[in-house]
Amino acid sequence: MIKTGFRHFNAGYLFFALAAIGSVMALVLPSITASLERAEESEARITLGSIKTSLEAFHREFRTYTDNLEKIGFSPQESQRFHYYLSASKIPDEIRSLLQESELPFTSKDNYRILAVIKSRDRLKIIICEKEDCRTRKL
């Protein structure tokens, strides 16, 4: 007879081990989720910085801002999570209805407002960038 050392292993021990793993996951999961949300926001802010730089370069050359991302050389990768807007007319109605008038993107001869929409799970987060600053709001 070969002794394995697992003579008293039963379903109770298995249940205890699963409960311990579940407890650890319950403690760790919220911090992982928060870290992922911060990483998504950072990625969007970096892209917004690139758009702002491109808009400023366009303005130096043509003395106006454009609401066409392609004209400033920006072609975002296809993504289901990140969307960037320079014109209120291009925002889908379901997102536009959640925004205040002061949050709608626009471009003019000497000013602009850019809108980034981050879709994650069941929430939307928007980042609004103007010439001087950016602000974030969860919808």
Side-chain angles (χ1 to χ4, degrees):
M1 185 151 102
I2 300 173
K3 292 186 178 184
T4 61
F6 293 110
R7 289 189 323 192
H8 301 290
F9 184 76
N10 59 28
Y13 289 119
L14 179 62
F15 179 73
F16 178 76
L18 289 175
I21 291 170
S23 297
V24 169
M25 289 301 293
L27 293 172
V28 172
L29 194 59
S31 66
I32 291 173
T33 303
S35 295
L36 289 173
E37 285 181 8
R38 284 192 304 273
E40 284 179 339
E41 186 174 333
S42 281
E43 183 178 344
R45 283 181 180 269
I46 289 169
T47 303
L48 283 169
S50 296
I51 294 171
K52 285 174 76 170
T53 301
S54 297
L55 274 172
E56 292 298 334
F58 186 90
H59 185 265
R60 280 191 297 278
E61 186 172 344
F62 298 104
R63 299 284 181 231
T64 189
Y65 293 105
T66 180
D67 64 353
N68 187 332
L69 289 170
E70 288 79 26
K71 278 188 179 179
I72 61 171
F74 181 74
S75 55
Q77 297 176 357
E78 286 298 317
S79 171
Q80 298 298 319
R81 296 180 306 154
F82 302 104
H83 300 278
Y84 303 95
Y85 302 100
L86 291 173
S87 169
S89 64
K90 296 180 182 175
I91 299 175
D93 289 336
E94 67 270 8
I95 295 173
R96 188 181 176 135
S97 65
L98 301 171
L99 299 172
Q100 300 169 8
E101 188 68 30
S102 63
E103 296 173 330
L104 293 175
F106 72 90
T107 56
S108 67
K109 183 173 170 63
D110 55 2
N111 205 358
Y112 61 85
R113 184 182 302 128
I114 310 166
L115 178 70
V117 177
I118 304 170
K119 295 179 180 182
S120 59
R121 293 177 193 76
D122 56 347
R123 284 186 266 170
L124 289 177
K125 185 185 284 189
I126 60 169
I127 303 174
I128 303 145
C129 282
E130 297 181 18
K131 283 178 90 170
E132 306 302 322
D133 67 329
C134 293
R135 62 187 186 278
T136 303
R137 184 167 78 91
K138 291 182 182 179
L139 302 175

